[in-house]
């Protein structure tokens, strides 16, 4: 009988496509484990109808992140993500059919979104439709503008429309950092066709909170420059959005791939080497979880924008199976002390900002030739200067 409320809770969560308490809890836990730090600049309205329009970068992880930041959010979501019960364990939202997933009539979904807003809800839409980690925004679709216009026609006013940008330090890697940039509520021009004015305002808002670069090389240099700041990653990226100095571009193209990584990530402190032995037991004891996440993501991820998602899905499933067994084994072998030791080592592995990877970068730096280190220092000096290009 004691399990009855839990069973009812799970059945309700998996039978509904829209967000439940389960999804709010799960997404918050996923972000707490996956990210080392979530930095939020700006604030969202706490009440009233809210239409959040977000840049789309890192697949469904964008939704997990935004839901953890603002639990009141509901999402317009690709219908294929909530068709099966096992997908609804992780995903929730008002399903719509995208053109690439097959043609369908979305009038019912749009009506559901409109009704949700009319009841004072907070709805998140990704106007790009799909995600990309590339240098440019994908084309913005007009669905969000049409929804805002329908709300205005029904109520005589617009919902609060707020643009959001997502800036990942290292999108596909465990324990990286991310900055959520919340823009100001949009002001919509009263001139011209209303739908065009709404779409233009949304596009401008997204361009303001997001970043656009000329090409992949420009983006790579800007992201390395952004790694050399203790302040806002977004502001650092925007400072490099215009162009790259010719000298820096030339030097960068002559660097080999391994050296480019060390420009951003080679630790100057020996701390990672000291922390690595403390975190290593946790990684070894939970090796099946980390291996499952890595192998499945490598095999199933169709592009870099879904690597993190596959790691999270596979790692979560593996952890749900492995960790209870490992905990029970620790108790069987060493008693309560074994359980405590397993728990502490696991927490150290998760909360130490991936010291094994940082230690590897430090060793690569120490093993690099003097000429290579000199070249990297010179590049790093150029990256830390203001961009005057």
């Amino acid at each position: 009988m004691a399990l009855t409320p839990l069973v009812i809770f799970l059945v309700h969560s998996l039978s509904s496509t829209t967000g439940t308490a389960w999804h709010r809890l799960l997404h918050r836990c996923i972000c707490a484990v996956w990210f080392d730090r979530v930095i939020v600049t700006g604030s969202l309205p706490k009440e009233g109808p809210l239409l959040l329009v977000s840049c789309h970068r890192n697949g469904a992880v964008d939704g997990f992140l935004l839901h953890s930041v603002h639990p009141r959010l509901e999402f317009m979501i690709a219908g294929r993500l909530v068709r099966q019960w096992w997908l609804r364990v992780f995903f929730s939202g008002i399903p719509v059919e995208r053109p690439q997933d097959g043609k369908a009539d979305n009038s019912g979904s749009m009506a559901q979104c409109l009704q949700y807003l009319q009841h004072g809800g907070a709805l998140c839409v990704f106007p790009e439709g799909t995600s990309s980690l590339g240098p440019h925004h994908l084309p913005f679709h007009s669905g969000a503008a049409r929804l805002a216009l329908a709300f205005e026609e029904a109520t005589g006013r617009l919902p609060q429309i707020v643009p959001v940008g997502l800036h990942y330090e290292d999108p596909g890697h465990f324990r990286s950092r991310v900055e959520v940039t919340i823009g100001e509520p949009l002001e919509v021009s009263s001139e011209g066709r209303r739908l065009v004015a709404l779409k233009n305002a949304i596009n401008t808002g997204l361009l303001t909170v997001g970043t656009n670069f000329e090409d992949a090389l420009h983006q790579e240099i800007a992201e390395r420059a952004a790694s050399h700041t203790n302040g806002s990653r977004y502001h650092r990226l925007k400072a490099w959005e215009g162009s790259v100095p010719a000298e820096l571009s030339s030097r960068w193209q002559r660097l080999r791939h391994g050296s480019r990584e060390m420009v951003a990530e080679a630790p100057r402190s020996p701390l990672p080497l000291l922390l690595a032995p403390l975190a290593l037991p946790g990684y070894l004891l939970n090796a099946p979880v980390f291996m499952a996440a890595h192998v499945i993501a490598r095999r199933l991820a169709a592009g870099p924008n879904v690597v993190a998602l596959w790691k999270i899905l596979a790692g979560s499933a593996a952890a749900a199976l492995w960790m209870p067994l490992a905990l029970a084994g620790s108790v069987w072998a060493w008693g309560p002390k074994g359980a405590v030791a397993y728990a502490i080592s696991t927490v150290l592995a998760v909360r130490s900002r991936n010291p094994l990877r940082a230690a590897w970068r430090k060793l690569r730096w120490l093993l690099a030739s003097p000429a290579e280190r000199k070249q990297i220092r010179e590049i790093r000096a150029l990256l830390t200067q203001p961009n005057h290009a």
Side-chain angles (χ1 to χ4, degrees):
M1 293 295 292
L3 291 177
T4 300
L6 177 61
V7 171
I8 294 174
F9 173 72
L10 290 175
V11 169
H12 170 69
S13 298
L14 299 182
S15 62
S16 173
T17 60
T18 53
T20 63
W22 162 257
H23 294 105
R24 290 191 291 272
L25 175 63
L26 178 65
H27 295 166
R28 183 167 292 186
C29 290
I30 284 174
C31 291
V33 172
W34 178 258
F35 295 110
D36 172 64
R37 186 182 300 172
V38 176
I39 302 165
V40 181
T41 57
S43 60
L44 289 170
K46 295 182 179 180
E47 297 180 353
L50 169 65
L51 181 59
L52 197 72
V53 287
S54 175
C55 298
H56 207 0
R57 300 289 293 162
N58 206 15
V61 177
D62 292 347
F64 298 161
L65 174 62
L66 290 173
H67 206 193
S68 71
V69 169
H70 194 62
R72 194 166 69 93
L73 282 179
E74 190 64 88
F75 295 84
M76 288 184 71
I77 189 172
R80 62 184 177 82
L81 292 178
V82 290
R83 287 199 182 106
Q84 285 83 32
W85 70 267
W86 60 272
L87 289 170
R88 290 196 292 272
V89 172
F90 290 93
F91 307 113
S92 67
I94 298 172
V96 294
E97 297 300 328
R98 303 179 305 173
Q100 60 264 45
D101 296 331
K103 295 182 179 180
D105 180 11
N106 283 316
S107 57
S109 298
M110 293 296 285
Q112 188 177 354
C113 291
L114 179 59
Q115 185 180 37
Y116 182 75
L117 285 174
Q118 288 175 326
H119 284 85
L123 181 71
C124 180
V125 179
F126 297 100
E128 290 165 284
T130 190
S131 67
S132 170
L133 291 170
H136 312 292
H137 290 289
L138 298 177
F140 299 126
H141 301 292
S142 60
R146 293 182 184 279
L147 185 59
L149 180 61
F151 182 91
E152 185 179 46
E153 291 174 346
T155 65
R157 61 191 178 98
L158 285 173
Q160 299 175 91
I161 307 174
V162 178
V164 172
L166 307 175
H167 306 284
Y168 294 89
E169 176 189 57
D170 204 344
H173 283 98
F174 183 56
R175 304 305 293 169
S176 64
R177 297 176 182 178
V178 60
E179 183 173 346
V180 180
T181 304
I182 301 171
E184 295 294 326
L186 298 180
E187 297 288 339
V188 182
S189 172
S190 59
E191 299 179 0
R193 292 178 55 196
R194 193 60 170 163
L195 180 61
V196 174
L198 283 164
K199 187 174 181 180
N200 288 341
I202 290 171
N203 292 358
T204 300
L206 289 170
L207 290 172
T208 300
V209 296
T211 52
N212 258 330
F213 301 102
E214 293 174 348
D215 50 35
L217 178 65
H218 183 184
Q219 179 188 22
E220 184 180 14
I221 293 173
E223 290 182 343
R224 291 296 186 269
S227 69
H228 290 280
T229 179
N230 294 322
S232 168
R233 181 176 181 83
Y234 159 72
H235 287 127
R236 188 68 170 161
L237 288 169
K238 293 298 280 189
W240 285 82
E241 195 175 35
S243 60
V244 175
E247 179 188 1
L248 175 57
S249 178
S250 176
R251 283 173 173 258
W252 188 264
Q253 291 181 71
R254 292 197 298 269
L255 280 179
R256 63 184 184 87
H257 179 73
S259 297
R260 291 182 182 184
E261 289 187 347
M262 283 193 285
V263 167
E265 300 183 16
R268 302 182 185 184
S269 164
L271 186 60
L273 294 175
L274 300 176
L275 288 177
L278 298 177
L280 183 59
Y283 283 101
L284 293 177
L285 290 170
N286 295 290
V289 176
F290 293 105
M291 289 177 63
H294 176 76
V295 171
I296 291 178
R298 191 165 186 175
R299 291 186 177 182
L300 298 183
N305 59 311
V306 290
V307 167
L309 175 61
W310 278 109
K311 285 184 177 181
I312 288 171
L313 296 180
S316 298
L321 295 172
W322 172 257
M323 287 186 171
L325 293 176
L327 186 62
S330 300
V331 173
W332 178 78
W334 299 291
K337 292 182 180 179
V340 172
Y342 172 74
I344 291 175
S345 64
T346 299
V347 170
L348 284 173
V350 170
R351 302 300 297 177
S352 299
R353 190 163 159 74
N354 210 342
L356 297 182
R357 187 161 173 256
W360 171 241
R361 295 286 189 264
K362 181 64 177 179
L363 287 172
R364 285 176 60 183
W365 172 259
L366 295 175
L367 294 173
S369 68
E372 184 178 20
R373 281 188 287 192
K374 180 175 181 292
Q375 188 180 29
I376 290 171
R377 288 192 187 99
E378 291 173 348
I379 293 288
R380 188 179 289 152
L382 290 172
L383 290 174
T384 54
Q385 293 175 3
N387 182 20
H388 299 297

